[in-house]
Amino acid sequence: PGTASGSGSERCSECAAGSYAANPAQAECNICPHPLDSEAHSVTCSFCKVGYYLQQDSSADDAVFASPTDYCKPCPPNADCSAPNTTVETLGVPRGYWRASSLTTDLHECIASDHCSGSSGKVQRSSRRELNAAAPGNGAHGQGCDAGYTGPLCEWCVGQGQHFDRGERGCVGCPSTRVRFGIFSGAVVAAAGAALLLRIAMTRCKVCRRGDRLTHRFGAVASRVGLQPKIKILVSFYQVAATLGPVYGV
């Protein structure tokens, strides 16, 4: 099996890749049915040819050969099936695209991240079972992501003290405590200055003098509210704003 002997030939010749001979003493090798392929010296055709991928890796060789179009499917959009013996686990994912796991054919373009490394679909010819045994699993840095990145679309940072910045299209260092305190202090000073200027303007404005009663009411409300609640509101607002970037990527 796996060889053929033409009429008058004293020696058997191995079947070329893409053909097979299931029985001994065959006169010629049979061409693999579409869309299957084979190695040289094969007795069957057990994997998909270039441009197709095997949908179910656990399928038996006999079942694949009997119904090739039920198991071998055209390469998904944006994927790379340029290597023979491509399976759903070994689909080539180009750089700039990401997929959630090695069991899905849905590829997503990385719009905000430059660190979707993809995965190569180039593999050497081998039996399907050998290929499945060597299929790569998830890496420590996230499958399909550059080192230091993980998560959906590679928008999560592995390193401590970093957050993903969509403007930089990558991970950047988080602001230090001093910088955060400086920003907060500046916001408080700016708010206090604006309130003071408004109060002075209302006091000196001739038009506002006609509204003494309104000014008096405004002053009474301001004194009742006090400064402490305003500071608490500013602190809460700052805490929410500071977490938007690291958590939600905005």
Side-chain angles (χ1 to χ4, degrees):
T3 61
S5 177
S7 177
S9 176
E10 296 181 357
R11 298 180 60 184
C12 295
S13 300
E14 290 185 354
C15 294
S19 62
Y20 72 100
N23 303 311
Q26 283 192 199
E28 60 182 11
C29 299
N30 301 317
I31 301 299
C32 289
H34 177 78
L36 294 179
D37 201 354
S38 69
E39 298 176 320
H41 197 190
S42 294
V43 297
T44 187
C45 302
S46 60
F47 56 84
C48 306
K49 68 179 184 179
V50 172
Y52 291 79
Y53 75 99
L54 188 65
Q55 192 174 35
Q56 301 176 11
D57 290 347
S58 60
S59 305
D61 292 349
D62 293 343
V64 174
F65 184 81
S67 304
T69 56
D70 291 340
Y71 295 92
C72 292
K73 300 298 181 181
C75 200
N78 301 314
D80 179 12
C81 301
S82 59
N85 205 358
T86 297
T87 69
V88 65
E89 291 188 354
T90 60
L91 280 176
V93 180
R95 186 170 185 86
Y97 286 83
W98 175 88
R99 63 173 176 164
S101 76
S102 60
L103 300 180
T104 179
T105 59
D106 294 329
L107 273 61
H108 305 274
E109 185 177 4
C110 299
I111 303 297
S113 176
D114 288 333
H115 299 278
C116 295
S117 61
S119 60
S120 174
K122 303 291 184 181
V123 295
Q124 296 180 346
R125 286 176 178 263
S126 62
S127 70
R128 178 159 53 88
R129 286 185 170 81
E130 290 175 351
L131 182 63
N132 291 343
N138 292 338
H141 52 73
Q143 185 179 18
C145 300
D146 289 336
Y149 294 83
T150 187
L153 301 174
C154 304
E155 294 183 12
W156 290 2
C157 302
V158 175
Q160 296 292 332
Q162 289 185 323
H163 72 278
F164 188 86
D165 190 321
R166 286 180 172 242
E168 298 293 334
R169 302 181 62 81
C171 293
V172 298
C174 295
S176 64
T177 304
R178 291 183 179 180
V179 173
R180 293 183 178 182
F181 181 75
I183 295 174
F184 171 71
S185 300
V188 172
V189 172
L196 180 60
L197 291 176
L198 178 62
R199 183 64 180 271
I200 294 174
M202 292 182 63
T203 302
R204 296 183 178 181
C205 181
K206 292 182 179 181
V207 176
C208 293
R209 287 180 180 176
R210 298 177 183 177
D212 290 339
R213 183 176 300 176
L214 180 62
T215 302
H216 178 72
R217 290 182 178 178
F218 175 79
V221 171
S223 61
R224 290 177 182 177
V225 172
L227 184 60
Q228 184 175 358
K230 295 184 178 65
I231 295 179
K232 289 182 178 180
I233 293 173
L234 287 174
V235 171
S236 300
F237 177 78
Y238 170 75
Q239 291 175 339
V240 172
T243 59
L244 289 178
V247 177
Y248 299 103
V250 297

